[in-house]
Amino acid sequence: MSKKKTYIPTDKMSDIICDNYSLLQVMSRFGLPLGFGDYTVEEVCQSNQVDCLTFLEVANFINTHYPRTYTPSEKISIPSLMGYLKNAHHYFLDFQLPSIRRKLLEAIDCSTDNEVTFLILKFFDSYVQEVHRHMNYEDMYVFTYVENLLKGVKDEAYNIDMFVRHHDHIDEKLTELKNSIIKYYPDSRKTYVMNAVLFDIFNCEKDLASHNLVEDCLFVPAVLRLECEVANQANTYNQLEQTSSDKVEKSASDELSLREKEIITCVVKGLSNKEIAEHLFISVHTVITHRRNIARKLKIHSPTLLTVYAIVNKLVDISEVKLNI
Ligand SMILES: [Fe+2]
Ligand SMILES: [Fe+2]
């Protein structure tokens, strides 16, 4: 097999679609419409407000047959990729699987009393329910978790690793159904119709496997990175909080701070709380808090004794003192 090329932003959109028609699905799930003329991938993405890098990451991952060693770009847009995955869910649940069921009903020979046809339909219906559960879980829990993470809010009871551990391959049961039909389906006059359904099941199976791989190999690494970023931000914030609270505690238990000494100087010069606040560019509330701390630290509540303390400790010259005895 010849090595598949990697698409770049300046490639024409029509060229990459003709090169690999399965990218039509990628286009529609990113919300890119047909009718793009001779525009490049970058131009088509730009005019539809789609993140070009993320579109190309998905397109190249699929086009190069999901290499195990694929290292996704760190610049993948998670909202963009999530939009792609949500649209894929909508496609499978509301279009592709109902369409296969309709065709399956048409193909199955209901006029004959055959248990195999009945069991095939039953198997398909229970499979569809399973796909609903799988995708509804991702829509309701995983994507909601990631949306909150994007806002910097981490649900401590959940992480993307939990999703990875329970992420089953929903395409596998479709493989079983396809194989059962091929091997055991009774002779029928509607072979063409059944073959057409099989063709759709083959495509759907491949599409679902591709969807799962995009989740495992592109989405999960991007979310892991986001989790680290949010955790780092939280650590930095906690460290800052700790430093600041350490300072407050130190200031609350140790010697007078520079600011408190300034407040004492102002007080003994006869300035009111409002004047001190204006002089030091702080609020009156902060002045009152400082004064309360000073009183507690020095165990001095009288302005006169505070003046004595200021003179003895050379915070002011006696000539600057205004006594309010
Ligand atoms: Fe999914
Ligand atoms: Fe999934």
Side-chain angles (χ1 to χ4, degrees), residues 85 89 134-135 138 143 167 211-212 215:
L85 295 171
H89 289 179
H134 179 113
M135 293 185 174
E138 287 170 358
F143 296 160
H167 194 213
H211 176 81
N212 260 28
E215 286 176 337

Side-chain angles (χ1 to χ4, degrees), residues 118-131:
F118 172 74
L119 287 174
I120 284 173
L121 205 56
K122 198 177 165 197
F123 183 93
F124 181 78
D125 286 344
S126 74
Y127 171 71
V128 170
Q129 279 181 4
E130 209 172 292
V131 180

Side-chain angles (χ1 to χ4, degrees), residues 7-18:
Y7 304 125
I8 55 173
T10 49
D11 282 336
K12 280 187 186 173
M13 186 62 101
S14 57
D15 287 347
I16 75 163
I17 297 299
C18 290

Side-chain angles (χ1 to χ4, degrees), residues 31-307:
L32 296 172
L34 293 170
F36 32 74
D38 280 330
Y39 288 112
T40 64
V41 173
E42 193 170 34
E43 288 165 340
V44 175
C45 286
Q46 234 166 37
S47 62
N48 289 283
Q49 287 93 47
V50 170
D51 187 75
C52 181
L53 181 138
T54 309
F55 170 78
L56 282 173
E57 279 290 311
V58 175
N60 283 322
F61 181 61
I62 291 172
N63 195 48
T64 51
H65 303 290
Y66 322 96
R68 284 182 186 279
T69 52
Y70 194 87
T71 311
S73 164
E74 291 186 5
K75 290 182 183 160
I76 277 185
S77 155
I78 295 179
S80 217
L81 188 56
M82 219 154 44
Y84 165 85
L85 295 171
K86 283 181 185 176
N87 285 338
H89 289 179
H90 175 63
Y91 170 82
F92 289 120
L93 297 178
D94 303 327
F95 176 72
Q96 179 71 305
L97 292 170
S99 160
I100 290 177
R101 192 181 196 279
R102 274 195 305 275
K103 287 184 184 174
L104 205 52
L105 269 178
E106 195 191 332
I108 281 175
D109 196 349
C110 295
S111 60
T112 58
D113 188 16
N114 191 314
E115 279 192 351
V116 175
T117 56
F118 172 74
L119 287 174
I120 284 173
L121 205 56
K122 198 177 165 197
F123 183 93
F124 181 78
D125 286 344
S126 74
Y127 171 71
V128 170
Q129 279 181 4
E130 209 172 292
V131 180
H132 268 275
R133 274 197 298 276
H134 179 113
M135 293 185 174
N136 286 343
Y137 169 78
E138 287 170 358
D139 286 335
M140 289 172 68
Y141 295 99
V142 184
F143 296 160
T144 305
Y145 164 75
V146 176
E147 274 157 7
N148 284 329
L149 211 53
L150 285 164
K151 292 179 202 155
V153 180
K154 168 85 175 74
D155 177 354
E156 293 307 328
Y158 193 79
N159 59 53
I160 204 66
D161 195 43
M162 289 161 82
F163 165 68
V164 174
R165 273 179 287 161
H166 298 106
H167 194 213
D168 52 349
H169 288 256
I170 39 170
D171 52 296
E172 284 169 4
K173 270 207 169 175
L174 208 51
T175 313
E176 277 179 52
L177 175 68
K178 180 193 73 187
N179 290 341
S180 299
I181 295 175
I182 294 169
K183 289 181 185 172
Y184 310 116
Y185 193 71
D187 188 25
S188 160
R189 281 167 294 168
K190 293 184 176 179
T191 309
Y192 289 153
V193 191
M194 185 50 96
N195 282 350
V197 185
L198 275 173
F199 196 75
D200 281 357
I201 296 176
F202 267 98
N203 277 334
C204 187
E205 177 195 16
K206 198 173 148 201
D207 203 3
L208 279 167
S210 165
H211 176 81
N212 260 28
L213 283 165
V214 170
E215 286 176 337
D216 288 342
C217 303
L218 300 186
F219 180 65
V220 167
V223 176
L224 274 171
R225 246 193 323 274
L226 179 63
E227 280 180 341
C228 286
E229 281 168 23
V230 172
N232 285 342
Q233 277 167 11
N235 282 344
T236 311
Y237 177 76
N238 286 342
Q239 276 167 8
L240 284 173
E241 278 277 286
Q242 190 60 44
T243 312
S244 135
S245 96
D246 284 352
K247 275 186 187 163
V248 170
E249 263 182 40
K250 197 168 177 4
S251 140
S253 59
D254 289 344
E255 293 172 9
L256 291 176
S257 67
L258 206 60
R259 179 60 97 193
E260 286 164 345
K261 285 179 183 170
E262 285 177 323
I263 302 265
I264 294 175
T265 308
C266 292
V267 172
V268 298
K269 283 181 183 173
L271 272 63
S272 68
N273 285 345
K274 188 168 177 289
E275 287 167 331
I276 297 171
E278 283 167 1
H279 181 63
L280 298 177
F281 303 105
I282 55 178
S283 71
V284 173
H285 176 75
T286 308
V287 174
I288 293 169
T289 307
H290 279 305
R291 289 193 69 168
R292 206 178 295 131
N293 285 341
I294 291 166
R296 185 176 46 76
K297 286 179 183 180
L298 299 180
K299 297 187 176 45
I300 295 175
H301 296 87
S302 144
T304 309
L305 291 179
L306 192 62
T307 305

